[in-house]
Amino acid sequence: MKLLRLGDQGSAVAEVRAALTYLGFLPATPRQSGERGEAAPPAAPPGESKGAEPPPPAAEPAAAEGARSPAVGPAGGAGGAAAAPPDRFDRDLDNALRAFQQSRGLSVDGILGPDTARALEEARHNLGDRLLYFSAAHPFVGDDVAALQERLFNMGFDIGRTDGIFGPRTESAVRDFQRNRGLDPDGRCGPRTLRELKRLRRTVTGGRPDVLRESVRLLARGTSLLGVVVALDPGHGGDDLGIVSGGLCERDLMADLAARLTTRLLDSGLESHLIHGPDESPSEEDRAARANELEADLLISLHAEGSTSRHAQGVSAYYYGNARGSSAVGERFAQLVQREIVSRTDMLDCRTHPKVWDLLRRTRMPTVRLDLGYLTNDHDARALGSTDFRAAVAEAVLAATQRLFLPPEMDAPTGQLHVPRLAGRA
Ligand SMILES: [Zn+2]
């Protein structure tokens, strides 16, 4: 797709403006009408726009069943010809787009690229706009799915996590809910199920239920690391070299690190798998699917970085999350591993960040992507090129993994966990 940015002009810009106005990131103007033929909702601060009751559903949401593929957006599109909004990408639009990107955990660059376009499309679905059901070929993705998941979750149904993707687990939660309410358990969220959901809507007060639930699951593991399955994802492979700079190649460095880490994990009684071989570089979606198939407890994706600036340097860790919520365990593991790496090496701490990248959100287990320094920076390149550094990173990741799965009372100060002592505890 063509990228859109400040200064661009055209009907595509007008559509972006209409979408951001609809979502409350730009004030509505009187002559502009909403895409559904209703008045656009009043502007609301980004953080609050999702807390409000969604607008009434379009007429007969179930009528759309089978009429169009779930991958196709709402008919009509934004901004009909009757009320074409300004089609210039001006400073206001740039600011609004950045605010939207920030609220979604996307890179805040003010540029409409594929990720932002997809997030914008997803954000425009309100619960009730369309019949939702599980489709393996074209899963429904959007804020309406996230809203459905949140409601089910708040009522105690097991939806996995609120990722905005209608998967098999969401379907089975809908079935449970329907059975529970005496409805036909067909796993589809249509008008009757929606009415019942709204009637029963309750809010959870205090605490973060997702944190509670995930830590309960971890506790159930007891004090053994035996049987913990760690999936490793070397960032690149085959013809995909990743970053190449100063004679160093990201693909090869990360393959070496993955091999070292595999050995250390296996030595310590954990199960460890590479999700792809050295000769291939699957898509993010494929990588997530493979980790899901493995039923891994943890997925770690290994990358180095590159920048046009030779000064950019440091290590960062990414986990699934945005303004609506995050993977509590993913966040904890990202913090643990970041802390261990920074304390065991002299790399700059670029901290941990929530992101909605496909690999992070399509995996069912806590997933962390590590960016282990910049090959374009002299200091970082020297580190990454040395086997001592890669061995230290492998130890750091192993220690963080043990901290994650062992109960807090067995915790040792950062950088000091003595790995062999804990290996193979039953
Ligand atoms: Zn990479």
Side-chain angles (χ1 to χ4, degrees):
M1 69 174 283
K2 185 184 177 304
L3 303 182
L4 294 176
R5 69 186 80 206
L6 191 62
D8 284 343
Q9 194 161 7
S11 61
V13 173
E15 283 189 25
V16 175
R17 180 182 296 278
L20 287 169
T21 304
Y22 175 76
L23 293 170
F25 287 89
L26 281 167
T29 58
R31 66 189 200 91
Q32 203 174 324
S33 67
E35 65 179 62
R36 292 174 184 80
E38 304 156 2
E48 292 168 22
S49 60
K50 288 290 126 193
E53 186 69 22
E60 296 173 299
E65 178 181 359
R68 61 165 192 254
S69 143
V72 177
D87 60 356
R88 180 176 286 279
F89 204 127
D90 60 9
R91 186 58 69 183
D92 284 347
L93 187 56
D94 180 78
N95 287 335
L97 190 61
R98 285 171 194 269
F100 172 75
Q101 287 172 325
Q102 188 166 29
S103 76
R104 297 275 152 170
L106 297 161
S107 299
V108 180
D109 55 10
I111 296 172
L112 187 90
D115 285 350
T116 303
R118 190 189 63 191
L120 211 46
E121 176 58 32
E122 291 175 4
R124 291 162 63 192
H125 296 294
N126 278 308
L127 188 56
D129 285 356
R130 49 184 186 169
L131 178 81
L132 296 172
Y133 54 93
F134 174 56
S135 158
H138 299 284
F140 282 92
V141 178
D143 278 21
D144 51 350
V145 178
L148 171 65
Q149 290 172 327
E150 257 161 42
R151 289 188 192 193
L152 288 168
F153 176 66
N154 287 346
M155 286 186 256
F157 293 92
D158 177 19
I159 50 104
R161 74 181 179 205
T162 308
D163 55 7
I165 304 170
F166 198 114
R169 202 142 160 198
T170 307
E171 182 188 45
S172 83
V174 171
R175 278 188 214 280
D176 283 350
F177 171 76
Q178 290 169 326
R179 245 178 247 121
N180 196 284
R181 303 309 307 163
L183 300 169
D184 175 25
D186 62 0
R188 303 157 81 87
C189 184
R192 290 199 60 199
T193 302
L194 265 175
R195 257 201 312 278
E196 197 65 11
L197 273 169
K198 284 186 176 162
R199 216 166 61 75
L200 290 172
R201 188 172 189 194
R202 272 187 282 148
T203 50
V204 173
T205 53
R208 278 181 53 193
D210 54 330
V211 175
L212 193 68
R213 197 169 41 102
E214 284 188 321
S215 49
V216 165
R217 196 183 309 149
L218 283 182
L219 278 178
R221 283 208 159 273
T223 57
S224 173
L225 293 169
L226 293 175
V228 171
V229 179
V230 180
L232 295 178
D233 172 36
H236 304 270
D239 297 336
D240 171 17
L241 304 177
I243 306 290
V244 177
S245 175
L248 293 174
C249 168
E250 182 191 359
R251 177 196 65 187
D252 300 340
L253 293 172
M254 294 305 118
D256 171 80
L257 175 59
R260 286 170 190 276
L261 191 47
T262 302
T263 307
R264 294 300 294 124
L265 290 165
L266 292 173
D267 285 350
S268 307
L270 293 98
E271 211 178 298
S272 175
H273 299 271
L274 295 175
I275 59 169
H276 67 89
D279 299 329
E280 54 170 351
S281 185
S283 70
E284 299 257 297
E285 212 172 324
D286 278 350
R287 290 171 199 242
R290 292 182 190 194
N292 289 342
E293 232 163 81
L294 269 175
E295 298 187 349
D297 295 297
L298 188 64
L299 173 63
I300 305 167
S301 185
L302 304 169
H303 286 265
E305 264 281 20
S307 170
T308 49
S309 162
R310 291 179 50 236
H311 301 292
Q313 68 176 109
V315 173
S316 28
Y318 301 93
Y319 57 94
Y320 174 78
N322 60 19
R324 280 203 309 265
S326 61
S327 159
V329 178
E331 182 174 0
R332 174 161 159 72
F333 183 67
Q335 286 165 354
L336 287 171
V337 75
Q338 180 75 11
R339 237 173 48 189
E340 292 288 343
I341 292 172
V342 170
S343 77
R344 289 162 192 255
T345 66
D346 64 348
M347 300 298 270
L348 185 69
D349 184 359
C350 295
R351 299 198 292 275
T352 64
H353 307 274
K355 291 288 172 189
V356 292
W357 297 328
D358 266 345
L359 183 73
L360 304 180
R361 77 168 185 163
R362 289 183 183 273
T363 40
R364 288 197 288 270
M365 72 292 309
T367 300
V368 166
R369 169 179 160 144
L370 298 175
D371 276 359
L372 295 160
Y374 285 74
L375 285 174
T376 44
N377 173 266
D378 290 344
H379 168 273
D380 286 8
R382 243 193 327 274
L384 282 157
S386 88
T387 53
D388 282 354
F389 172 80
R390 297 198 295 277
V393 170
E395 287 310 305
V397 174
L398 175 59
T401 306
Q402 291 174 318
R403 285 181 194 283
L404 183 70
F405 289 104
L406 291 172
E409 61 269 21
M410 290 179 66
D411 218 356
T414 301
Q416 293 176 25
L417 191 64
H418 184 55
V419 170
R421 192 160 49 87
L422 296 168
R425 285 183 64 106

